[in-house]
Amino acid sequence: MNATKTMLLLATLTALFAAVGWLIAGIGGALIAFAVAIGMNAMAWWNSDKMLLRMHNAEPVTRHSAPALRDMVGELARNAGLPMPAVYLIREPQPNAFATGRSPDHSAVAITTGLIETLSRDELAGVVAHELAHIRNRDTLIMTVAATVAGAVSLLAQFGMYFGRAGRNRSPLAFVGLLLAILVAPIAALLIQMLISRTREYGADRMGAEICGHPLWLASALNRISDGGRRFEMRSAEDNPASAHMFIVNPLAGRRLDGLFSTHPNPSNRIAALEQLAREMGTGAPRTASLGRRPQDRTGLSGPWS
């Protein structure tokens, strides 16, 4: 189902580019826009995950550099019935995380150093389980492609400005196309992000709780990190707001126009849903032992459970 939605998203991007090109510069503009859209579609399908990781300066984590972190991810992945994803570290003080990849066999989980330094081991396990739920639900493909699409759509404004000047005598609808590129396209991209993120976060919260066995682990983590974007600015997220919906909590500081568009459900609503799930599951206080904690776990990183 998500593959179908992704294809529809890419087809929409192609149609939008071609329509703007035709409105602004006639058949020639439509052909150029179509060629650009095809190239972007191919890039989004095959390389959007790598682009996203580079965008946020993510570094691969090895078993030597952080053995306990990799063991935790591996154990939770086994609980979820998933192959071991690649693990990446983002050296940012803001506590946050995201998952990416076009399939469970080509997936990655990226965690900020701020998340490791802020959360207990149980809480970190809850966050990792949430991200693995996105991978298991195959949300990561459409979420990653949406980030690429949202960024690509912003190019329509530049496309419109250039071809609006070049083709104004050839197309009487050039002004309409230019207006579409400048106003409608970026808003459409934001709406795509909001729809995708809001409708998937609750499902990933629930499945993540089932993967780690304790809904309150994630509830406690969300309570700690929900205002991280306001306390710690993540420069890479501020420079690339189209990727904000990928993170478990909104990474944007909210000082710009991007802050007017909430890409995530209200944290208090998510926490309340997890607390209700905990009552349904009959789970009480978190227990570290269920994840096989060793007396001297070492991550190679700074954290309260290292």
Side-chain angles (χ1 to χ4, degrees):
M1 180 62 73
N2 275 355
T4 302
K5 291 179 181 178
T6 304
M7 294 302 294
L8 287 173
L9 186 61
L10 294 176
T12 301
L13 170 66
T14 304
L16 184 59
F17 263 86
V20 171
W22 179 80
L23 286 170
I24 293 174
I27 296 298
L31 291 175
I32 293 174
F34 181 77
V36 170
I38 291 298
M40 287 184 171
N41 286 349
M43 180 176 63
W45 185 270
W46 293 106
N47 295 310
S48 54
D49 55 339
K50 299 180 183 66
M51 290 173 57
L52 189 66
L53 291 165
R54 284 196 298 269
M55 187 184 298
H56 294 286
N57 304 310
E59 306 169 4
V61 171
T62 65
R63 180 167 294 279
H64 176 73
S65 64
L69 178 61
R70 284 185 57 87
D71 287 347
M72 172 193 287
V73 176
E75 187 167 350
L76 289 168
R78 287 192 294 274
N79 290 351
L82 293 170
M84 176 70 182
V87 183
Y88 285 81
L89 189 68
I90 303 172
R91 296 191 180 277
E92 288 281 353
Q94 183 185 118
N96 225 320
F98 67 83
T100 185
R102 65 179 183 271
S103 71
D105 292 321
H106 302 86
S107 62
V109 174
I111 301 166
T112 66
T113 51
L115 191 76
I116 293 172
E117 292 165 0
T118 301
L119 300 184
S120 69
R121 189 176 192 275
D122 292 342
E123 292 165 338
L124 183 61
V127 170
V128 171
H130 168 96
E131 299 306 332
L132 292 175
H134 278 308
I135 295 173
R136 182 172 164 182
N137 288 335
R138 296 181 181 266
D139 295 336
T140 50
L141 174 61
I142 192 168
M143 291 172 68
T144 306
V145 169
T148 305
V149 168
V153 166
S154 67
L155 293 176
L156 283 173
Q158 299 177 34
F159 179 87
M161 292 295 290
Y162 177 81
F163 282 96
R165 292 192 296 269
R168 59 179 176 271
N169 296 324
R170 288 180 289 172
S171 174
L173 297 176
F175 178 75
V176 176
L178 185 59
L179 191 64
L180 179 68
I182 294 174
L183 298 179
V184 178
I187 293 174
L190 285 168
L191 290 174
I192 288 171
Q193 289 175 287
M194 286 190 291
L195 178 64
I196 289 172
S197 183
R198 283 177 174 274
T199 56
R200 296 177 189 277
E201 290 305 308
Y202 285 112
D205 285 349
R206 186 177 187 90
M207 181 173 287
E210 294 170 354
I211 290 171
C212 70
H214 288 276
L216 296 182
W217 288 1
L218 179 56
S220 179
L222 290 174
N223 186 53
R224 284 178 182 264
I225 68 177
S226 59
D227 64 341
R230 290 189 295 273
R231 291 187 292 117
F232 303 100
E233 182 179 272
M234 184 184 290
R235 190 69 259 167
S236 61
E238 297 294 335
D239 291 340
N240 301 280
S243 67
H245 68 287
M246 297 294 298
F247 289 83
I248 188 168
V249 293
N250 191 352
L252 302 178
R255 291 191 294 268
R256 307 186 312 171
L257 178 63
D258 311 302
L260 299 176
F261 297 89
S262 175
T263 57
H264 294 74
N266 189 304
S268 61
N269 293 338
R270 295 172 66 183
I271 291 169
L274 287 164
E275 290 173 344
Q276 176 60 34
L277 179 60
R279 288 191 289 270
E280 295 172 3
M281 293 174 62
T283 57
R287 295 193 310 272
T288 11
S290 61
L291 269 177
R293 184 178 184 178
R294 297 176 180 85
Q296 293 183 333
D297 268 345
R298 292 185 302 112
T299 63
L301 302 166
S302 174
W305 48 273
S306 56

